[in-house]
Amino acid sequence: MKNDADVIIIGAGLAGLTAAKVLKTAGKSVLVIEASDGVGGRVRTDEVDGFLLDRGFQVLLTAYPETKKLLDYDALDLKSFDSGALILEEHKVSQIGDPLRQPSALIGTLFSSAGTFLDKLRMLRLKFKLVSKSIEDIFAEREMTTLAYLKKQGFSNLIINKFFLPFFTGIFLEDKLMTSSRMFEFVFKMFSEGNAALPAKGMGMIPLQLASSLAESELRLNTKVTAIEPMSVKTMDGGSFSADFILIATDQLNLPHPYKKNHDQFHSVTNMYFTAAHRPFNEALIALNTLPGKLVNNIAVMDKISSAYAKNGQSLISLSLIGDYSNREQTTLQQQVLSELKLWYPDAPNWKHLKTYHINYALPSDEQVVNDMEDGAINLSDGCYICGDHLLNGSINAAMKSGRVAAEAIIRKMGEL
């Protein structure tokens, strides 16, 4: 009986799509099976009333080594944030930036109350240190928490609380800075060497580009795999598909039988979108809420970065709340959020709610991270492999690297048969 493909890939997120791209380039046939109605996994963009809504506030760090190799940046038409952030304090807003990349940010950064003068010198020293440090060396370092690392570098509690905590909470999706210092160094290096950017038409353009080489017959949507058997998979609708190799590319919560496990080490986020007649701020920066007991961690004006995100001259505002707020009464939550933001943006109560995304599994826990996978970690059994950022670290770079590495391992194995 003829197989349906050389390799069946379960999951059409970034890891699975990258694996499919690598396998097809090597001349192997693939069948990608996806439970949802579209490709992208956690990186998708919806169009709602003419606005582009990313499912969770995300950015592409252009210095990522895997994305530089595997994506066509020009085709994505990347639009970049400026370096730095707006710091929202109780009675004022200040700005902190990278004067080496944007000389105009020098004065604002020097006079920002988000840190001492020595903090800002230490920030520059850290930038130079990490630019010259290889990624291999970063992931070979002894791990500690990001908070312990920042204190070891001599940063004051002031800049930790006013900048590092809200900025990296928005990236790591945890508000204690318990994420591995390796992850902090890697991300800080990526910010220092490239830009934080968005494809002009939304983050969902990234998986669409990866999937562009797939023929219609090579992608099955709305099909959930429930079990993996030797050289075949079973689906919820009673279907069965066969291949010489199976590659699992789901997140940790959706591994099929017999590999399904209970996982509680992951991070959730709530992403709220509002529209407004006018932008709350005109800088191409992320605004960080530094108040204790806050709901909103960070704010981005999406149409300031790419006009395609909004329509008719309106503004699209993205708010990130760390954690899962799906059990809250939603109208009350919206009112509380806008009430909090009117301290800086008096027009906030007039913003119109567009959509809220409650993302239960947004990132794996990154308290221990690596940048390379041993064969034993990706080869689950004879003919069955696994990929995903949870095997390395929570990032677009890691998702795509894991897919590439797993695909290359399968290609090598095929060559041995």
Side-chain angles (χ1 to χ4, degrees), residues 123-152:
M123 187 96 76
L124 287 174
R125 183 180 67 186
L126 182 60
K127 173 187 171 78
F128 289 130
K129 170 188 169 183
L130 294 180
V131 164
S132 63
K133 189 173 184 179
S134 72
I135 293 173
E136 291 73 23
D137 286 343
I138 284 174
F139 282 93
E141 288 281 3
R142 182 177 70 86
E143 288 182 281
M144 63 184 76
T145 67
T146 292
L147 181 60
Y149 175 90
L150 291 171
K151 290 184 175 180
K152 185 178 179 181

Side-chain angles (χ1 to χ4, degrees), residues 30 47 50 57 82 118 122 127 151 189 218 261 277 279 287 289 293 328 340 369 389:
V30 301
E47 184 173 340
F57 175 69
D82 290 340
L118 286 177
R122 292 185 182 104
K127 173 187 171 78
K151 290 184 175 180
K189 178 181 175 68
E218 294 174 318
K261 298 177 182 177
R279 293 173 181 162
N289 185 353
R328 293 278 194 100
E340 180 176 282
V369 298
D389 64 346

Side-chain angles (χ1 to χ4, degrees), residues 197-215:
L198 302 169
K201 295 184 179 179
M203 290 293 290
M205 296 304 294
I206 295 173
L208 288 176
Q209 185 181 104
L210 289 172
S212 62
S213 65
L214 291 174

Side-chain angles (χ1 to χ4, degrees), residues 14-19 22 64-70 135-136 139 186 210 247 370-374 378 386-389 391-393 395-409:
L14 296 186
L17 293 173
T18 300
V22 172
Y64 279 152
E66 292 296 321
T67 60
K68 286 196 292 186
K69 286 188 293 189
L70 293 163
I135 293 173
E136 291 73 23
F139 282 93
F186 173 66
L210 289 172
L247 176 58
V370 294
N371 193 48
D372 290 297
M373 300 182 296
E374 302 293 336
I378 59 176
I386 189 170
C387 61
D389 64 346
L391 300 175
L392 294 170
N393 54 79
S395 66
I396 289 174
N397 185 76
M400 293 179 64
K401 179 172 184 174
S402 72
R404 174 182 61 79
V405 170
E408 290 171 349

Side-chain angles (χ1 to χ4, degrees), residues 56-57 271-274 298-302 316-320:
F57 175 69
N271 179 210
M272 304 179 79
Y273 284 99
F274 291 85
N298 50 280
I299 308 164
V301 181
M302 307 303 288
L316 178 66
I317 303 157
S318 172
L319 311 178
S320 294

